[in-house]
């Protein structure tokens, strides 16, 4: 401290900035790892769906068993809004750190136990029922992870680079899917898709990994301070002799309902597009078009590698051009391209399928790499966690978790292999209407939202 002026010296300022950057890296890493665990599990569940169908629903027709496996996947999403209300409420009331540190233990514990489940041959109907129960526990706890991680990062990051740093969250999602895809590809190519090893033990490995990774993430988060934006809000309230809102979720509905509805609409395209492009299409190629499973896995792996790069690029571009323009562009892209894309997939040509999926991937990343920063900038600090968590998870509960199931069901009902494309276009139109009604907050100080 300069004794004459009472101002911090350049050295003190440098140390302060260095400490901020060091803390930001820890926040980003813990958020990345926590979200990675969640989506590595979801990737494993999806890419190993045909194996899980055999383990938990044997004796059924292949298509029916696969649909039942995705049915469990979809049902677990129904508890997401409840989890969003709980974790969002606690994250706004008790702090981002508390919610994230607690939820990761529940999520990783439930994931680990899924890997320990006996199959239908040993427990009968109890096996799929236990699978559903653990999926619900996992889904409940995971519902605060994505929103909390993005909120934590946004409130730590500099406003001019918020889009880039927030893109780490969807990037961790893509990395989770990539590792899950690589693992499934390796197992299928090494042992055979329905080999004894894969059916008995191989599918369990990715679920077991969640245990130690969850404890590591919990440890890192426990040794972090809460975000400066949230801490400043608490300090301002204390100075006025006030406490934080006891029921933030009630405040969200009372004062920010219109914004909540618009945010929900903005999330529906991400919810359906994410699962349609990254988890449904590989199963669509195999189950509907009878495309080679190994080739489908290779295409998925290539797409995910490119997707990660696109995500960071999308976050950077959104910092310069604004979130609203990016999200509207993604809506228009899906409306125009989805139906032709499904027509081209029927060619069953490797390179045609790869190009189609890469274009779909690019459209998705324009949305996915922008949405987290957009949602963080949409809600004020006292309801930010709740608003993000509820709008995002409600969209995923209604539209996201059911995307694969609905897509298969539409094909069964209509007999039209491209029926899912029409559903995707309808969803994109809904999201476009919401985005046109939204406001731009790119680059604003989060304490001023």
């Amino acid at each position: 401290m300069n004794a004459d002026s009472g101002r911090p010296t350049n050295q003190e300022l440098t140390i302060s900035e260095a400490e901020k950057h060091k803390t930001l890296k820890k926040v980003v890493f813990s958020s990345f790892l926590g979200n990675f665990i969640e989506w590595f599990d979801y990737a494993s569940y999806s890419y190993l769906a045909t194996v899980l169908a055999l383990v938990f629903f044997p004796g059924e027709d292949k298509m029916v068993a696969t649909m039942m496996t995705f049915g469990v996947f979809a049902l677990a999403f129904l508890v997401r809004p409840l989890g969003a209300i709980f974790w969002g409420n606690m994250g706004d009331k008790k702090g981002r750190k508390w919610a994230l540190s607690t939820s990761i233990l529940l999520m990783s514990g439930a994931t680990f136990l899924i890997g320990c489940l006996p199959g239908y041959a040993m427990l009968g109907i109890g096996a799929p029922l236990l699978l559903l129960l653990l999926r619900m526990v996992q889904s409940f706890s995971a519902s605060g992870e994505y929103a909390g991680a993005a909120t934590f990062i946004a409130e730590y990051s500099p406003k001019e680079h918020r889009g880039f740093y927030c893109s780490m969250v969807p990037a961790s999602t893509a990395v989770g899917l990539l590792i899950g895809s690589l693992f499934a590809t390796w197992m299928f190519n090494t042992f055979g898709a329905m080999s004894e090893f894969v059916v008995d033990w191989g599918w369990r490995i990715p679920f077991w990994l969640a245990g130690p990774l969850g404890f590591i993430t919990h440890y890192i988060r426990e040794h972090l301070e809460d975000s400066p934006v949230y801490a400043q809000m608490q300090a301002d309230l204390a100075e006025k002799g006030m406490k934080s809102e006891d029921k933030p979720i009630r405040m969200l509905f009372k004062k920010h309902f219109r914004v909540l509805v618009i945010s929900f609409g903005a999330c529906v395209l991400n919810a359906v597009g994410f699962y349609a492009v990254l988890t449904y299409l590989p199963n669509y190629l195999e189950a509907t078009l009878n495309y080679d499973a190994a080739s489908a896995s290779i295409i998925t792996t290539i797409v995910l590698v490119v997707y990660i790069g696109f995500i960071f690029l999308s976050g950077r571009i959104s910092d310069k051009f604004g979130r609203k323009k990016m999200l509207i562009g993604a809506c228009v892209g899906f409306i125009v391209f989805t139906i032709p894309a499904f027509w081209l997939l029927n060619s069953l040509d490797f390179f045609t399928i790869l190009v189609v999926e890469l274009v779909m991937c690019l459209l998705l990343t324009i949305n996915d790499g922008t949405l987290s920063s957009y949602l963080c900038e949409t809600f004020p600090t006292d309801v930010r966690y709740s608003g993000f968590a509820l709008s995002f998870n409600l969209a995923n509960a209604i539209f996201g978790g059911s995307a694969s199931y609905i897509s298969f069901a539409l094909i069964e009902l209509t007999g039209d292999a491209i029926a899912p494309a029409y559903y995707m276009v309808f969803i994109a139109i809904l999201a476009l209407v919401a985005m046109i009604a939204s406001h731009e907050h790119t680059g604003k100080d989060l304490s001023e939202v």
Side-chain angles (χ1 to χ4, degrees), residues 24 76 80 85 107 228 273 301 418 433:
L24 177 59
R80 284 214 160 205
I85 290 171
M107 182 179 74
T301 301
I418 68 166
V433 172

Side-chain angles (χ1 to χ4, degrees), residues 28-46:
V28 169
F29 178 73
S30 66
S31 298
F32 189 100
L33 188 57
N35 203 53
F36 165 83
I37 295 168
E38 175 186 352
W39 293 103
F40 175 55
D41 160 62
Y42 277 89
S44 300
Y45 190 96
S46 181

Side-chain angles (χ1 to χ4, degrees), residues 32 274-275 428 448:
F32 189 100
F274 179 85
Y275 292 100
E448 298 173 358

Side-chain angles (χ1 to χ4, degrees), residues 390-407:
L390 186 57
S391 57
F392 184 81
N393 285 287
L394 192 60
N396 275 277
I398 297 173
F399 296 101
S402 62
S404 295
Y405 184 84
I406 288 175
S407 296

